mmCIF file of all heavy atoms in Angstrom:
data_model
loop_
_atom_site.group_PDB
_atom_site.id
_atom_site.type_symbol
_atom_site.label_atom_id
_atom_site.label_comp_id
_atom_site.label_asym_id
_atom_site.label_seq_id
_atom_site.Cartn_x
_atom_site.Cartn_y
_atom_site.Cartn_z
ATOM 1 N N GLU A 1330 103.472 91.391 99.773
ATOM 2 C CA GLU A 1330 103.384 90.678 98.343
ATOM 3 C C GLU A 1330 104.427 91.343 97.437
ATOM 4 O O GLU A 1330 105.188 90.645 96.668
ATOM 5 C CB GLU A 1330 102.001 90.711 97.720
ATOM 6 C CG GLU A 1330 101.845 90.109 96.380
ATOM 7 C CD GLU A 1330 101.974 88.652 96.463
ATOM 8 O OE1 GLU A 1330 101.601 88.029 97.564
ATOM 9 O OE2 GLU A 1330 102.386 88.047 95.550
ATOM 10 N N ARG A 1331 104.498 92.638 97.423
ATOM 11 C CA ARG A 1331 105.374 93.374 96.590
ATOM 12 C C ARG A 1331 106.905 93.155 96.911
ATOM 13 O O ARG A 1331 107.724 92.842 96.033
ATOM 14 C CB ARG A 1331 105.161 94.930 96.533
ATOM 15 C CG ARG A 1331 105.766 95.670 95.424
ATOM 16 C CD ARG A 1331 105.133 96.990 95.258
ATOM 17 N NE ARG A 1331 105.715 97.673 94.118
ATOM 18 C CZ ARG A 1331 105.397 98.915 93.669
ATOM 19 N NH1 ARG A 1331 104.517 99.534 94.402
ATOM 20 N NH2 ARG A 1331 105.996 99.397 92.589
ATOM 21 N N ILE A 1332 107.187 93.076 98.277
ATOM 22 C CA ILE A 1332 108.397 92.784 98.772
ATOM 23 C C ILE A 1332 108.912 91.339 98.257
ATOM 24 O O ILE A 1332 110.016 91.161 97.851
ATOM 25 C CB ILE A 1332 108.580 92.964 100.206
ATOM 26 C CG1 ILE A 1332 108.412 94.430 100.648
ATOM 27 C CG2 ILE A 1332 109.930 92.332 100.726
ATOM 28 C CD1 ILE A 1332 108.236 94.548 102.161
ATOM 29 N N ARG A 1333 107.906 90.458 98.429
ATOM 30 C CA ARG A 1333 108.214 89.065 98.028
ATOM 31 C C ARG A 1333 108.547 88.921 96.513
ATOM 32 O O ARG A 1333 109.215 87.933 96.167
ATOM 33 C CB ARG A 1333 107.156 88.170 98.389
ATOM 34 C CG ARG A 1333 106.891 87.968 99.810
ATOM 35 C CD ARG A 1333 105.715 87.075 100.124
ATOM 36 N NE ARG A 1333 105.867 85.744 99.493
ATOM 37 C CZ ARG A 1333 104.936 85.001 99.184
ATOM 38 N NH1 ARG A 1333 103.583 85.188 99.455
ATOM 39 N NH2 ARG A 1333 105.179 83.769 98.692
ATOM 40 N N SER A 1334 108.141 89.910 95.655
ATOM 41 C CA SER A 1334 108.251 89.756 94.251
ATOM 42 C C SER A 1334 109.704 89.935 93.825
ATOM 43 O O SER A 1334 109.977 89.580 92.613
ATOM 44 C CB SER A 1334 107.388 90.697 93.479
ATOM 45 O OG SER A 1334 107.653 92.081 93.769
ATOM 46 N N TYR A 1335 110.593 90.404 94.642
ATOM 47 C CA TYR A 1335 111.881 90.697 94.237
ATOM 48 C C TYR A 1335 112.839 89.557 94.574
ATOM 49 O O TYR A 1335 112.610 88.854 95.628
ATOM 50 C CB TYR A 1335 112.470 91.948 95.008
ATOM 51 C CG TYR A 1335 111.874 93.264 94.424
ATOM 52 C CD1 TYR A 1335 110.534 93.685 94.935
ATOM 53 C CD2 TYR A 1335 112.554 94.084 93.692
ATOM 54 C CE1 TYR A 1335 109.968 94.836 94.516
ATOM 55 C CE2 TYR A 1335 111.888 95.326 93.244
ATOM 56 C CZ TYR A 1335 110.684 95.698 93.685
ATOM 57 O OH TYR A 1335 110.245 96.915 93.311
ATOM 58 N N PRO A 1336 113.815 89.277 93.775
ATOM 59 C CA PRO A 1336 114.606 88.027 93.850
ATOM 60 C C PRO A 1336 115.796 88.327 94.941
ATOM 61 O O PRO A 1336 116.830 88.179 94.450
ATOM 62 C CB PRO A 1336 115.216 87.734 92.462
ATOM 63 C CG PRO A 1336 115.244 89.105 91.881
ATOM 64 C CD PRO A 1336 113.996 89.914 92.371
ATOM 65 N N ALA A 1337 115.511 88.532 96.157
ATOM 66 C CA ALA A 1337 116.410 88.926 97.109
ATOM 67 C C ALA A 1337 117.173 87.665 97.520
ATOM 68 O O ALA A 1337 116.639 86.689 97.919
ATOM 69 C CB ALA A 1337 115.716 89.679 98.290
ATOM 70 N N ASP A 1338 118.561 87.917 97.885
ATOM 71 C CA ASP A 1338 119.422 86.923 98.485
ATOM 72 C C ASP A 1338 119.547 87.179 99.941
ATOM 73 O O ASP A 1338 120.043 86.381 100.731
ATOM 74 C CB ASP A 1338 120.667 86.893 97.807
ATOM 75 C CG ASP A 1338 120.604 86.358 96.356
ATOM 76 O OD1 ASP A 1338 119.769 85.393 96.140
ATOM 77 O OD2 ASP A 1338 121.396 86.721 95.563
ATOM 78 N N ALA A 1339 119.176 88.532 100.316
ATOM 79 C CA ALA A 1339 119.304 88.970 101.737
ATOM 80 C C ALA A 1339 118.161 89.821 101.988
ATOM 81 O O ALA A 1339 117.903 90.852 101.169
ATOM 82 C CB ALA A 1339 120.526 89.644 101.983
ATOM 83 N N LEU A 1340 117.508 89.676 103.151
ATOM 84 C CA LEU A 1340 116.365 90.416 103.598
ATOM 85 C C LEU A 1340 116.822 91.125 104.889
ATOM 86 O O LEU A 1340 117.128 90.517 105.913
ATOM 87 C CB LEU A 1340 115.198 89.665 103.824
ATOM 88 C CG LEU A 1340 113.854 90.425 104.434
ATOM 89 C CD1 LEU A 1340 113.299 91.232 103.307
ATOM 90 C CD2 LEU A 1340 112.843 89.384 104.861
ATOM 91 N N LEU A 1341 116.858 92.574 104.907
ATOM 92 C CA LEU A 1341 117.386 93.277 105.890
ATOM 93 C C LEU A 1341 116.191 93.979 106.503
ATOM 94 O O LEU A 1341 115.909 95.093 106.057
ATOM 95 C CB LEU A 1341 118.538 94.276 105.620
ATOM 96 C CG LEU A 1341 119.708 93.569 104.778
ATOM 97 C CD1 LEU A 1341 120.844 94.613 104.379
ATOM 98 C CD2 LEU A 1341 120.274 92.294 105.389
ATOM 99 N N PRO A 1342 115.761 93.675 107.745
ATOM 100 C CA PRO A 1342 114.712 94.334 108.338
ATOM 101 C C PRO A 1342 115.090 95.532 109.229
ATOM 102 O O PRO A 1342 116.326 95.693 109.529
ATOM 103 C CB PRO A 1342 114.068 93.276 109.264
ATOM 104 C CG PRO A 1342 115.219 92.367 109.604
ATOM 105 C CD PRO A 1342 116.164 92.404 108.476
ATOM 106 N N GLY A 1343 114.175 96.337 109.694
ATOM 107 C CA GLY A 1343 114.538 97.473 110.454
ATOM 108 C C GLY A 1343 114.800 97.063 111.941
ATOM 109 O O GLY A 1343 115.284 97.909 112.702
ATOM 110 N N HIS A 1344 114.513 95.841 112.300
ATOM 111 C CA HIS A 1344 114.782 95.310 113.642
ATOM 112 C C HIS A 1344 115.217 93.858 113.555
ATOM 113 O O HIS A 1344 114.670 93.162 112.555
ATOM 114 C CB HIS A 1344 113.527 95.448 114.606
ATOM 115 C CG HIS A 1344 113.100 96.745 114.842
ATOM 116 N ND1 HIS A 1344 113.602 97.546 115.884
ATOM 117 C CD2 HIS A 1344 112.249 97.618 114.316
ATOM 118 C CE1 HIS A 1344 112.958 98.735 115.961
ATOM 119 N NE2 HIS A 1344 112.188 98.865 114.982
ATOM 120 N N MET A 1345 115.983 93.415 114.395
ATOM 121 C CA MET A 1345 116.351 92.001 114.559
ATOM 122 C C MET A 1345 117.244 91.543 113.416
ATOM 123 O O MET A 1345 117.678 92.290 112.586
ATOM 124 C CB MET A 1345 115.209 91.200 114.774
ATOM 125 C CG MET A 1345 114.254 91.687 116.032
ATOM 126 S SD MET A 1345 112.646 90.901 116.202
ATOM 127 C CE MET A 1345 112.974 89.135 116.263
ATOM 128 N N LEU A 1346 117.485 90.275 113.327
ATOM 129 C CA LEU A 1346 118.615 89.735 112.419
ATOM 130 C C LEU A 1346 117.955 89.565 111.084
ATOM 131 O O LEU A 1346 116.906 89.405 110.775
ATOM 132 C CB LEU A 1346 118.967 88.382 112.933
ATOM 133 C CG LEU A 1346 119.736 88.375 114.404
ATOM 134 C CD1 LEU A 1346 119.786 86.973 114.875
ATOM 135 C CD2 LEU A 1346 121.189 88.739 114.012
ATOM 136 N N PRO A 1347 118.955 89.760 110.097
ATOM 137 C CA PRO A 1347 118.649 89.546 108.700
ATOM 138 C C PRO A 1347 118.245 88.165 108.438
ATOM 139 O O PRO A 1347 118.508 87.150 109.154
ATOM 140 C CB PRO A 1347 119.927 89.960 107.823
ATOM 141 C CG PRO A 1347 121.002 89.668 108.914
ATOM 142 C CD PRO A 1347 120.400 89.921 110.184
ATOM 143 N N VAL A 1348 117.436 87.965 107.223
ATOM 144 C CA VAL A 1348 117.118 86.616 106.632
ATOM 145 C C VAL A 1348 117.888 86.395 105.400
ATOM 146 O O VAL A 1348 117.913 87.340 104.566
ATOM 147 C CB VAL A 1348 115.621 86.470 106.446
ATOM 148 C CG1 VAL A 1348 115.275 85.127 105.966
ATOM 149 C CG2 VAL A 1348 114.832 86.820 107.577
ATOM 150 N N LEU A 1349 118.672 85.388 105.417
ATOM 151 C CA LEU A 1349 119.565 85.100 104.268
ATOM 152 C C LEU A 1349 119.221 83.881 103.474
ATOM 153 O O LEU A 1349 118.808 82.776 104.114
ATOM 154 C CB LEU A 1349 121.108 85.017 104.861
ATOM 155 C CG LEU A 1349 121.533 86.227 105.734
ATOM 156 C CD1 LEU A 1349 122.953 85.866 106.125
ATOM 157 C CD2 LEU A 1349 121.556 87.478 104.876
ATOM 158 N N GLY A 1350 119.403 84.016 102.175
ATOM 159 C CA GLY A 1350 119.112 82.848 101.181
ATOM 160 C C GLY A 1350 117.740 83.033 100.551
ATOM 161 O O GLY A 1350 116.843 83.313 101.267
ATOM 162 N N ARG A 1351 117.654 82.913 99.229
ATOM 163 C CA ARG A 1351 116.403 83.212 98.557
ATOM 164 C C ARG A 1351 115.242 82.278 98.998
ATOM 165 O O ARG A 1351 114.172 82.803 99.123
ATOM 166 C CB ARG A 1351 116.671 83.045 97.009
ATOM 167 C CG ARG A 1351 115.573 83.701 96.265
ATOM 168 C CD ARG A 1351 115.864 83.757 94.796
ATOM 169 N NE ARG A 1351 117.113 84.530 94.526
ATOM 170 C CZ ARG A 1351 117.614 84.732 93.299
ATOM 171 N NH1 ARG A 1351 117.096 84.111 92.358
ATOM 172 N NH2 ARG A 1351 118.755 85.408 93.241
ATOM 173 N N GLU A 1352 115.561 81.008 99.165
ATOM 174 C CA GLU A 1352 114.506 79.977 99.581
ATOM 175 C C GLU A 1352 114.111 80.370 100.948
ATOM 176 O O GLU A 1352 112.832 80.298 101.224
ATOM 177 C CB GLU A 1352 115.039 78.593 99.500
ATOM 178 C CG GLU A 1352 115.241 78.079 98.067
ATOM 179 C CD GLU A 1352 115.599 76.614 98.063
ATOM 180 O OE1 GLU A 1352 115.574 76.035 99.148
ATOM 181 O OE2 GLU A 1352 115.907 76.046 96.922
ATOM 182 N N ARG A 1353 114.949 80.748 101.880
ATOM 183 C CA ARG A 1353 114.600 81.010 103.178
ATOM 184 C C ARG A 1353 113.690 82.277 103.249
ATOM 185 O O ARG A 1353 112.680 82.409 103.982
ATOM 186 C CB ARG A 1353 115.751 81.178 104.109
ATOM 187 C CG ARG A 1353 115.529 81.534 105.588
ATOM 188 C CD ARG A 1353 114.604 80.474 106.255
ATOM 189 N NE ARG A 1353 114.473 80.889 107.685
ATOM 190 C CZ ARG A 1353 113.665 80.167 108.520
ATOM 191 N NH1 ARG A 1353 112.837 79.174 107.988
ATOM 192 N NH2 ARG A 1353 113.499 80.456 109.694
ATOM 193 N N ILE A 1354 114.103 83.238 102.540
ATOM 194 C CA ILE A 1354 113.306 84.567 102.403
ATOM 195 C C ILE A 1354 111.964 84.326 101.934
ATOM 196 O O ILE A 1354 110.987 84.845 102.489
ATOM 197 C CB ILE A 1354 114.035 85.520 101.557
ATOM 198 C CG1 ILE A 1354 115.409 86.021 102.227
ATOM 199 C CG2 ILE A 1354 113.198 86.776 101.291
ATOM 200 C CD1 ILE A 1354 116.279 86.723 101.361
ATOM 201 N N SER A 1355 111.893 83.436 100.880
ATOM 202 C CA SER A 1355 110.538 83.217 100.291
ATOM 203 C C SER A 1355 109.661 82.450 101.236
ATOM 204 O O SER A 1355 108.401 82.773 101.436
ATOM 205 C CB SER A 1355 110.783 82.378 99.012
ATOM 206 O OG SER A 1355 109.448 81.928 98.548
ATOM 207 N N GLU A 1356 110.203 81.521 101.980
ATOM 208 C CA GLU A 1356 109.437 80.808 103.100
ATOM 209 C C GLU A 1356 108.931 81.740 104.115
ATOM 210 O O GLU A 1356 107.838 81.669 104.538
ATOM 211 C CB GLU A 1356 110.220 79.692 103.636
ATOM 212 C CG GLU A 1356 109.642 78.908 104.732
ATOM 213 C CD GLU A 1356 110.654 78.013 105.425
ATOM 214 O OE1 GLU A 1356 111.681 77.765 105.007
ATOM 215 O OE2 GLU A 1356 110.187 77.288 106.420
ATOM 216 N N VAL A 1357 109.970 82.519 104.695
ATOM 217 C CA VAL A 1357 109.571 83.334 105.947
ATOM 218 C C VAL A 1357 108.571 84.429 105.455
ATOM 219 O O VAL A 1357 107.555 84.592 106.137
ATOM 220 C CB VAL A 1357 110.877 83.982 106.455
ATOM 221 C CG1 VAL A 1357 110.558 85.150 107.456
ATOM 222 C CG2 VAL A 1357 111.737 82.978 107.167
ATOM 223 N N LEU A 1358 108.837 85.138 104.449
ATOM 224 C CA LEU A 1358 107.906 86.286 103.992
ATOM 225 C C LEU A 1358 106.569 85.636 103.571
ATOM 226 O O LEU A 1358 105.531 86.282 103.860
ATOM 227 C CB LEU A 1358 108.543 87.010 102.803
ATOM 228 C CG LEU A 1358 109.621 88.039 103.324
ATOM 229 C CD1 LEU A 1358 110.078 88.793 101.963
ATOM 230 C CD2 LEU A 1358 109.076 88.994 104.343
ATOM 231 N N GLY A 1359 106.602 84.505 102.960
ATOM 232 C CA GLY A 1359 105.341 83.883 102.557
ATOM 233 C C GLY A 1359 104.456 83.578 103.765
ATOM 234 O O GLY A 1359 103.290 83.866 103.729
ATOM 235 N N ASN A 1360 105.013 82.948 104.751
ATOM 236 C CA ASN A 1360 104.291 82.623 105.990
ATOM 237 C C ASN A 1360 103.811 83.866 106.749
ATOM 238 O O ASN A 1360 102.700 83.908 107.276
ATOM 239 C CB ASN A 1360 105.090 81.595 106.855
ATOM 240 C CG ASN A 1360 105.244 80.271 106.270
ATOM 241 O OD1 ASN A 1360 104.445 79.749 105.660
ATOM 242 N ND2 ASN A 1360 106.342 79.595 106.600
ATOM 243 N N TYR A 1361 104.761 84.829 106.806
ATOM 244 C CA TYR A 1361 104.426 86.000 107.407
ATOM 245 C C TYR A 1361 103.159 86.810 106.810
ATOM 246 O O TYR A 1361 102.288 87.115 107.450
ATOM 247 C CB TYR A 1361 105.622 87.011 107.485
ATOM 248 C CG TYR A 1361 105.727 87.986 108.484
ATOM 249 C CD1 TYR A 1361 106.234 87.695 109.789
ATOM 250 C CD2 TYR A 1361 105.469 89.349 108.108
ATOM 251 C CE1 TYR A 1361 106.466 88.684 110.753
ATOM 252 C CE2 TYR A 1361 105.581 90.371 109.147
ATOM 253 C CZ TYR A 1361 106.128 90.085 110.448
ATOM 254 O OH TYR A 1361 106.229 90.951 111.402
ATOM 255 N N GLN A 1362 103.279 86.794 105.527
ATOM 256 C CA GLN A 1362 102.163 87.437 104.750
ATOM 257 C C GLN A 1362 100.864 86.711 104.989
ATOM 258 O O GLN A 1362 99.787 87.238 105.172
ATOM 259 C CB GLN A 1362 102.566 87.668 103.225
ATOM 260 C CG GLN A 1362 101.401 88.221 102.389
ATOM 261 C CD GLN A 1362 101.690 88.033 100.938
ATOM 262 O OE1 GLN A 1362 102.587 87.254 100.505
ATOM 263 N NE2 GLN A 1362 100.946 88.753 100.212
ATOM 264 N N GLU A 1363 100.984 85.424 104.702
ATOM 265 C CA GLU A 1363 99.778 84.576 104.851
ATOM 266 C C GLU A 1363 99.083 84.467 106.211
ATOM 267 O O GLU A 1363 97.894 84.453 106.334
ATOM 268 C CB GLU A 1363 100.064 83.197 104.369
ATOM 269 C CG GLU A 1363 100.340 83.094 102.731
ATOM 270 C CD GLU A 1363 99.239 83.804 101.923
ATOM 271 O OE1 GLU A 1363 98.027 83.552 102.329
ATOM 272 O OE2 GLU A 1363 99.634 84.593 101.066
#
């Protein structure tokens, strides 16, 4: 939830490919968290 609160344009994880774009990050992290 805290990670999602930041207006990120790029999400860089410790493994696997980055997630790019604010809307896509919001969607992915939201579903992951929920």
Side-chain angles (χ1 to χ4, degrees):
E1330 179 70 28
R1331 195 164 184 183
I1332 291 169
R1333 290 180 61 198
S1334 71
Y1335 289 78
D1338 292 328
L1340 178 71
L1341 309 187
H1344 296 269
M1345 305 170 60
L1346 290 164
V1348 182
L1349 304 177
R1351 194 171 304 177
E1352 289 186 7
R1353 179 61 175 168
I1354 293 168
S1355 178
E1356 176 189 356
V1357 169
L1358 282 184
N1360 286 330
Y1361 204 80
Q1362 178 193 12
E1363 290 307 314

